Amino acid sequence: MYMRRVVRQSKFRHVFGQAVKNDQCYDDIRVSRVTWDSAFCAVNPKFVAIIIEASGGGAFLVLPLHKTGRIDKSYPTVCGHTGPVLDIEWCPHNDQVIASGSEDCTVMVWQIPENGLVTAMSEPVVVLEGHSKRVGIITWHPTARNVLLSAGCDNQIIIWNVGTGEAMINLEDMHPDVIYNVCWNRNGSLICTSCKDKGIRVIDPRKETIIAEKEKAHEGARPMRAIFLSDGNVLTTGFSRMSERQLALWNTSNMDEPMTVNEMDTSNGVLLPFYDPDTNVVYLCGKGDSSIRYFEITDEAPYVHFLSTFATKEPQRGMGYMPKRGLDVNKCEIARFYKLHERKCEPIVMTVPRKSDLFQDDLYPDTAGPDPALEAEDWFDGKNGDPISISLKNGYVPGKNREFKVVKKNILDSKVTKNSENSSPANKSASPTPSIKSEAKLEEILKEIKSLKDLVSSQEKRIIKLEEQMSKIAI
């Protein structure tokens, strides 16, 4: 009985991580070397996007999940920015729309073709201009369609209606120094921020007021991170005065003292937190670390419980985190990370070992689906909406995304059509929809063949031209 009380019961105590085999990695990618503490990678159930080194501007790769192996140097990129790209994020309500923030002071929103890029993309759907210094943070609203937040080194936060291309809210005088990160709460009614002045702020963006504030959340000078948990508490990572890395939990109604503080180790890598609101597990990935630590957050003291560490030999340059609807529920996968090395991207799968082959409903409560709860105008008018949940019991099948358009008057109509088919996940689909998948694959191959033919013919013309020039010189 005594032993039973000592060991805390948790279904996540035995979560274990495993890197995939080499042939399932994305190889020969020149990951960006820009000095900025963002994840450099964004993932959804269709694509993985990675910020890469680019001469004369900024670029990022967008690869369909199945395009593993060596990535050719000539593979097309998204390359419209004139300065390095600092942050990218997929739209939660349309798996083909991605936003990017850059050193060129702009935010751009891109519509990726359904089967990925065939030629380089330099024309965004919309350019959002309003920051006077580089834009290092972008994050989509969790429940309202086409609402995007950006934060720049001009210490201001702008919230955009992407459907009209307008800046709707500008939070200017709240941060005296560089903003380290911004996070929405579960229904997108509040944001929390961490700042170089060591302060954590909880802000109501529509009322443009600070609701709660903690001046020195962590004593150390290195960058902090702050994220909302599903119960409204705030989790922060930072450094102590002795440069020890810390994890702290705060109740927003009383931020005088933290609910708990965990001291971890002495290292100078910024801890990037990735949070799963369904299981209340938070994963900490340190930039430059070679491990992922994970903790479970509960209602009873000490609130934050260490679960385990997934350790590798290679340090991580960045990290992508797959949304719940992109996981393989048949393998009891509860998280999947996309770890960036210097020259490759390596998926890491976190699973809970189970003997049964049945759907494990305790691991997969209903999760936030791709349908928005509100239109942008409704949210700016003061309405709130909780995420619209979907069940993962039969695997998530993405609906067809309509084209994303920017209009100058009313909101765009790019609703994701609701797909009620019961099939297994899109990225690991078994037999239910082979024809659709093979058609898409065939279309992609044909497009690739066409682009190769065009390349060959253009090279032929060039060779003929050069031969003519050579013959003239010889004469």
Side-chain angles (χ1 to χ4, degrees), residues 64-81:
L65 287 186
H66 59 75
K67 191 162 176 58
T68 51
R70 189 177 166 275
I71 306 301
D72 200 88
K73 280 188 173 57
S74 63
Y75 193 86
T77 61
V78 180
C79 53
H81 284 287

Side-chain angles (χ1 to χ4, degrees), residues 52-67:
I52 55 167
E53 279 287 285
S55 52
F60 59 95
L61 270 178
V62 174
L63 304 168
L65 287 186
H66 59 75
K67 191 162 176 58

Side-chain angles (χ1 to χ4, degrees), residues 190 202 346:
L190 301 172
V202 177
E346 174 187 44

Side-chain angles (χ1 to χ4, degrees), residues 162-440:
V162 180
T164 60
E166 294 172 284
M168 305 295 284
I169 295 170
N170 199 327
L171 308 175
E172 278 183 294
D173 304 318
M174 293 185 176
H175 299 88
D177 213 326
V178 174
I179 301 162
Y180 286 141
N181 88 303
V182 183
C183 178
W184 296 96
N185 67 348
R186 189 100 168 108
N187 70 355
S189 58
L190 301 172
I191 56 173
C192 69
T193 67
S194 60
C195 177
K196 197 175 180 178
D197 69 350
K198 302 182 187 176
I200 301 291
R201 294 166 178 82
V202 177
I203 299 167
D204 184 327
R206 289 170 296 191
K207 290 181 182 161
E208 301 189 14
T209 53
I210 295 174
I211 288 176
E213 189 172 0
K214 174 64 182 170
E215 278 184 355
K216 281 194 176 176
H218 295 274
E219 296 277 343
R222 304 265 313 130
M224 301 188 298
R225 286 287 182 277
I227 58 165
F228 265 115
L229 304 183
S230 51
D231 58 5
N233 289 339
V234 170
L235 184 98
T236 62
T237 64
F239 293 78
S240 70
R241 197 174 286 160
M242 307 300 290
S243 288
E244 283 179 312
R245 295 199 287 192
Q246 295 177 321
L247 177 68
L249 190 64
W250 307 84
N251 184 332
T252 51
S253 53
N254 178 15
M255 292 185 82
D256 295 338
E257 288 297 321
M259 293 161 68
T260 180
V261 178
N262 278 36
E263 306 245 319
M264 276 173 287
D265 59 357
T266 308
S267 174
N268 60 2
V270 177
L271 285 168
L272 305 177
F274 295 94
Y275 172 62
D276 179 0
D278 306 329
T279 57
N280 261 320
V281 174
V282 67
Y283 302 87
L284 300 184
C285 308
K287 268 207 140 175
D289 285 15
S290 51
S291 61
I292 301 172
R293 292 180 178 80
Y294 32 108
F295 298 80
E296 189 177 0
I297 317 288
T298 61
D299 299 336
E300 66 233 34
Y303 308 111
V304 177
H305 308 271
F306 175 71
L307 291 172
S308 186
T309 302
F310 168 75
T312 56
K313 289 175 186 166
E314 295 286 316
Q316 54 230 15
R317 294 281 295 277
M319 195 68 81
Y321 180 58
M322 176 65 83
K324 213 55 177 289
R325 56 196 174 91
L327 302 179
D328 189 346
V329 296
N330 304 318
K331 292 183 178 163
C332 295
E333 189 181 355
I334 63 158
R336 193 186 317 148
F337 291 93
Y338 286 72
K339 174 181 170 178
L340 299 186
H341 297 243
E342 209 163 311
R343 301 283 303 190
K344 75 170 179 179
C345 172
E346 174 187 44
I348 292 165
V349 175
M350 299 279 183
T351 43
V352 176
R354 290 281 164 98
K355 286 178 181 157
S356 167
D357 288 338
L358 298 172
F359 177 71
Q360 307 290 318
D361 50 8
D362 61 327
L363 296 183
Y364 301 105
D366 287 359
T367 191
D371 290 328
L374 299 166
E375 296 297 339
E377 279 80 359
D378 298 336
W379 185 78
F380 287 114
D381 287 344
K383 290 182 189 161
N384 291 323
D386 287 328
I388 296 174
S389 296
I390 55 166
S391 167
L392 296 174
K393 187 158 189 175
N394 300 300
Y396 163 71
V397 178
K400 229 173 161 50
N401 293 311
R402 288 196 206 150
E403 190 138 4
F404 177 89
K405 292 188 188 75
V406 174
V407 289
K408 287 300 170 199
K409 282 212 174 71
N410 62 341
I411 193 80
L412 58 123
D413 181 31
S414 66
K415 282 188 182 171
V416 180
T417 55
K418 286 178 189 169
N419 192 333
S420 55
E421 283 173 37
N422 290 340
S423 320
S424 58
N427 55 330
K428 303 241 176 177
S429 79
S431 53
T433 55
S435 58
I436 296 168
K437 200 148 193 205
S438 53
E439 270 178 39

Side-chain angles (χ1 to χ4, degrees), residues 84-131:
V85 177
L86 300 176
D87 198 13
I88 48 175
E89 186 169 280
W90 288 104
C91 174
H93 309 126
N94 187 333
D95 285 343
Q96 284 163 237
V97 172
I98 188 168
S100 56
S102 162
E103 266 189 26
D104 65 13
C105 309
T106 67
V107 175
M108 293 183 179
V109 179
W110 310 83
Q111 168 107 17
I112 306 298
E114 198 166 345
N115 300 315
L117 296 176
V118 180
T119 56
M121 182 178 272
S122 56
E123 287 298 313
V125 185
V126 62
V127 181
L128 306 171
E129 294 176 308
H131 287 283

Side-chain angles (χ1 to χ4, degrees), residues 27-38:
D27 267 318
D28 219 10
I29 294 166
R30 291 177 307 144
V31 175
S32 175
R33 292 173 178 276
V34 70
T35 49
W36 188 253
D37 288 320
S38 70

Side-chain angles (χ1 to χ4, degrees), residues 5-21:
R5 278 199 298 273
V6 169
V7 179
R8 195 180 67 87
Q9 286 298 307
S10 169
K11 55 191 168 226
F12 303 113
R13 261 183 56 216
H14 303 291
V15 169
F16 75 99
Q18 197 168 20
V20 300
K21 294 191 176 79

